[in-house]
Amino acid sequence: MRIRVKSHDEGRDGTWVRRAGARLRGWGGVTAMAAACAVTAAAVLLPLAQAAPEGGSHPAVVREPASMAAAPAPWTLTDTCQTPEASLSPSAGDGPTIERIRKAGKLVAGVDQNSFKWGYRNPVDGRLDGFDIALVKAIAKDILGDENAVIYRAIPTSQRVPALQDGRVDVVVRTMTINCKRLEDVAFSTAYFEAGQQVLAPKGSPITGYDASLKGRRICTAAGSTAEAALKAQPYGSVPVSVPNQLDCLVRLQLGEVDGIITDNALAAGQAAQDPSVRLVGSPFTKEFYGVAMKKDASDLVRRVNKVLENYRAGGDNSPWMQAYVTHLKPVLPGVAGPPAPKYRDG
């Protein structure tokens, strides 16, 4: 399949014309061009190091599976469980999952490598960097005594749950919203960040937010995301476009193949920083919490991660959480006072 680059993009009212080539600029444009092939690629896991989460030995080469499990049906906007962000109480104790990770000598983490300031390839040294990556390192440091004892596996949005269920990763730290539907398939830590869904559109676009201005417009979301579920529930007459990875939406927007994006405002802020020709419009229309996702029966790991998060939040402005925020997110998402307070449930 080829991507056809349009020479211009005209709004249906005839007033908005912009050349797609002008959008491919700066660091974000470079990233988008490099990622353009990913738009046409299958939704596959990209092993970034040699190892597997199961067992104590690591094969010489990690091969991509021949086929990928289908992502579960997207969640409904009306959650039926009470306080989905409530998790198991924290504990520093060990258990079978912790013991297996220690025996393997590595924490296998499902992450993003294309979300600017969250999980991305730093253009200076090519290493994975970002707010989510800093949290992965804190978890590895606590369990294994070494923040670098991590095998990172880049996974598309639609494969976050299957990757855990299939045992390809131990944790997913990838701007993943906690909700009732996902709790049927995986377990979550307490919330480590609060975000909301919002519309990202080109400057000068007639789109004004998540409203009737979407009618007739091509609106992009990542498969299996909360944004996709929102658009299915209330499309406002738009033409939905689904892609494997959230960054693919930015690529398509830059190429003129879609008119707008719905995504977490925390992610969109980073994308707007990459490409100054786009901006957030309207207001966030949901309230969502990111959590570390784990296998449903890994209660010992859930409690341990919650203990890590307790320490990560502690210290106010000097906390590791706030230091990570200032380093990675404050330049693109200012005004965040601190992490969400943890909520716990019995069991």
Side-chain angles (χ1 to χ4, degrees):
M1 181 176 68
R2 289 184 177 180
I3 295 177
R4 181 170 59 87
V5 181
K6 298 183 179 180
S7 61
H8 69 279
D9 200 8
E10 182 175 353
R12 284 161 178 75
D13 60 1
T15 60
W16 172 47
V17 178
R18 233 169 24 125
R19 292 192 177 276
R23 302 175 202 168
L24 301 174
R25 64 183 70 176
W27 188 88
V30 174
T31 301
M33 291 300 291
C37 293
V39 177
T40 58
V44 296
L45 292 182
L46 175 61
L48 301 181
Q50 297 177 356
E54 301 296 341
S57 59
H58 307 306
V61 177
V62 175
R63 300 186 183 277
E64 296 173 356
S67 62
M68 302 299 297
W75 66 295
T76 57
L77 291 180
T78 304
D79 279 349
T80 56
C81 61
Q82 294 183 347
T83 320
E85 66 271 21
S87 184
L88 298 175
S89 59
S91 172
D94 294 340
T97 309
I98 300 290
E99 291 175 1
R100 177 181 57 73
I101 292 170
R102 282 188 176 149
K103 183 178 180 182
K106 298 283 186 180
L107 176 73
V108 185
V111 298
D112 199 348
Q113 65 173 359
N114 294 315
S115 291
F116 188 48
K117 297 300 184 179
W118 288 93
Y120 71 107
R121 289 285 179 184
N122 192 313
V124 175
D125 57 18
R127 294 185 180 183
L128 280 171
D129 202 0
F131 189 83
D132 280 346
I133 304 303
L135 180 53
V136 170
K137 290 181 177 180
I139 296 170
K141 175 72 174 178
D142 183 84
I143 295 175
L144 296 167
D146 181 3
E147 68 174 22
N148 295 314
V150 182
I151 296 165
Y152 295 103
R153 288 187 173 166
I155 53 176
T157 306
S158 61
Q159 290 299 312
R160 292 177 297 189
V161 170
L164 284 166
Q165 293 177 323
D166 296 347
R168 285 173 267 154
V169 297
D170 299 314
V171 296
V172 169
V173 187
R174 196 188 181 285
T175 57
M176 189 169 179
T177 299
I178 306 167
N179 59 54
C180 298
K181 179 61 180 177
R182 288 174 178 163
L183 283 170
E184 296 175 5
D185 301 308
V186 298
F188 279 100
S189 69
T190 53
Y192 68 85
F193 202 87
E194 180 181 333
Q197 295 295 314
Q198 199 167 350
V199 178
L200 187 71
K203 291 179 180 177
S205 166
I207 295 174
T208 58
Y210 186 61
D211 53 33
S213 67
L214 299 181
K215 185 175 181 180
R217 308 285 172 183
R218 301 156 298 176
I219 303 301
C220 189
T221 62
S225 68
T226 51
E228 182 187 49
L231 196 61
K232 284 183 177 180
Q234 177 53 276
Y236 284 109
S238 65
V239 180
V241 177
S242 180
V243 296
N245 276 303
Q246 207 283 322
L247 185 67
D248 295 344
C249 283
L250 182 60
V251 175
R252 287 180 182 260
L253 186 66
Q254 291 172 321
L255 296 177
E257 297 187 339
V258 298
D259 304 308
I261 301 169
I262 297 178
T263 187
D264 301 354
N265 59 352
L267 286 173
Q271 292 179 354
Q274 288 176 250
D275 185 349
S277 69
V278 301
R279 65 187 178 97
L280 284 164
V281 295
S283 301
F285 57 90
T286 64
K287 185 176 182 179
E288 303 179 15
F289 295 98
Y290 295 160
V292 178
M294 290 153 279
K295 209 165 186 176
K296 196 169 178 64
D297 60 356
S299 59
D300 60 320
L301 182 58
V302 174
R303 293 183 188 277
R304 187 59 171 266
V305 170
N306 283 340
K307 181 64 176 177
V308 173
L309 286 171
E310 286 277 292
N311 298 330
Y312 205 64
R313 300 183 190 97
D317 290 343
N318 295 318
S319 68
W321 189 98
M322 186 57 72
Q323 291 173 7
Y325 165 74
V326 170
T327 299
H328 300 291
L329 297 180
K330 189 174 181 179
V332 299
L333 195 67
V336 177
K343 296 180 180 179
Y344 300 108
R345 58 180 170 81
D346 294 336

